[in-house]
Amino acid sequence: MSPLAPDPRLGSARRSFFERGAAPVGAVPEAILHSWQRCQRHGLLVDAQPAAEPLTDNRLRELRQRRERLWRQARPELDGLAAEMTHSGSIVLLTDEDGWILDAEGSAGFLDKAGRVALMPGMRWDEGTVGTNAIGTALVDGRALQVRGGEHYFAPHGILTCSAVPILDPYGQCLGVLDVSGDARLPHVHALALVRQAVAQIEHRGFADGLADCELLRLHHQPALLGSAREGVLGFRGGRLVAANRAGLALFGLDRQDIGRTPYEALFEQPLSRLADDGVLLDRQGRRLYGVREARASRRSVATPGPTAPLPASAQGPLFDTGQQQQLATAGRVLQAGLPVLLQGETGTGKEVFARELHARSTRAGKPFVAVNCAALPEGLIEAELFGYEEGAFTGARRQGSPGLLRQAEGGTLFLDEIGDMPLALQPRLLRVLQERELSPLGGGKPVKLDFALVCASHCELPQAVDAGRFRADLYYRIADHVVTLAPLRQNPDRAAVVDALWQQLGQGHALSSQARAALAAHAWPGNLRQLSACLRTLAALAEPGQPVGPQLLPADVRAGTPTAPAVPASGALEEIAEAAMRQALAECQGNVSAAAKRLGINRSTLYRRLGTPRG
Ligand SMILES: Nc1ncnc2c1ncn2[C@@H]1O[C@H](COP(=O)(O)OP(=O)(O)OP(=O)(O)O)[C@@H](O)[C@H]1O
């Protein structure tokens, strides 16, 4: 992508605003101008440094726990966009409703660059502190916004172009923001559309379990779009509109202030019972809408606690072929007998999705599913996080102590992801707990009995880690009673069937041209199902209404029939070969720098230093 030249009009509008108090009419978008004015009223000095303070690791972890439900609801889109962003050199961020950044994923090079202006987890990007920015200003305005380079209030943020969309709950309340940020020197033409699309999916998922005491109506002009995130969803209680998604509001030209105020009769000509006859309902303007009315009895309250909710891979749930159904059935019987299951497979093959499905099909389904990523927990805290601690057990410990993640899984399923990254020093303690099914919290206290089903996962070959002395053999034999290997997508001889089935779920009713389908089926997908799903979501977002998705919309490497990971040069300098290997590892680890560094046996800073910002 060729870099954009700096916009001279914006530069002179900035000078005229900040030096003389007014910008020429039309030189800056209205939303930006209003935001600059608000920042001045807040007393933010444009030449000063933004005064943001990061959260401590503990506070960030607590915040993430409190926002667990939002995080889970947004997870598939975060994953999907992050896989896309890794290739385009951008990142994706999730914040809560106050602008605290909970998660940032995507291009390793840009994560590093964004970190230098404090755009990273644990920082708050509210407008009152960091000035005009897509996250904070979208929160103030309550709508989608792109902020480009010099439109940011503070000059150091001019390196960014950010596209943010608020995430709303079914009642129209803001839950947080999804944002894509990238290099301001590059064009970000589709970024806002992609984020909108992702947020529509996230918000749609908020209705998946129905709403307590609410009559739900799913509607669209085109019946093919019912069930997709583009359908309108309206919730009525006592004959009044109490909940709706954006598509539902847009169908009737309403906005979120109308939720709670609009009676059913103001929208529809015919009674709801009319729907049962032929699935068509006439609205007040005489338009025919196709619809589905959800039976109250089949719905659960949306207020069910987060940890037990299965992770939806899409609106209709995960896909499993016959072989995987067999694997699920066998592994389910092993778990039922009280034995652990170990899942092996490359990144993105669906180990966590598989583990959640095992839990959902088991007799423990009503109890918590607790997922612990052993690679993501800081080494110094992993013991306390897992095993819990008593009041005052160590400096920084919470006052009332913590039961620990193992106890949170009581009665349910404990999923230990990336178990190969469990620090060697902690492995004997984990082994003891698994053998005795009893736990003594840090800092003393009575031992507690534990009851959970155990599923572990690893992307690396654990027997090799045992040979290399990084993983204890006794722990390996304790967790590897039954090993399930999830095959990489490139080994699936019928990738076309996988593409078709996923497209049916994610394609938003668009048709896929036969060339596009063939190219998708021929590609090797080093990021496996995660990468393929991300690509299909993007295609659905870019598709033109009524036109089949053609090969021109595919990423260049898929279109050209080349593997995503850059090939190692056949000949060339040693440096070049090393760099290609690093890029390849990074691509295979979906931009996860820690995982790529570990795979290469080098440290993260070396990887950052050698690769810098990935080429776009
Ligand atoms: N069975 C499935 N059906 C549909 N989509 C799936 C399935 N399995 C995985 N996916 C897609 O791939 C994404 C990644 O899946 P998951 O997190 O389970 O992979 P993983 O193997 O645990 O990856 P990692 O090793 O990187 O943690 C999911 O969010 C979903 O979009």
Side-chain angles (χ1 to χ4, degrees), residues 75-76 79 311-314 317-320 324 345-354 373 415 417-418 457 459 486 502 505 528-531 533-534 537 590:
R75 169 84 198 274
D79 270 354
L311 172 83
S314 68
L319 300 164
F320 298 105
Q324 288 166 331
E346 289 177 11
T347 183
T349 46
K351 298 184 289 298
E352 179 162 350
V353 169
F354 190 96
N373 187 329
F415 176 57
D417 199 2
E418 306 298 3
H459 67 262
L486 296 179
L502 274 178
Q505 290 193 353
N528 296 301
L529 282 170
R530 176 184 287 124
Q531 192 191 9
S533 306
R537 282 193 192 99
Q590 293 293 291

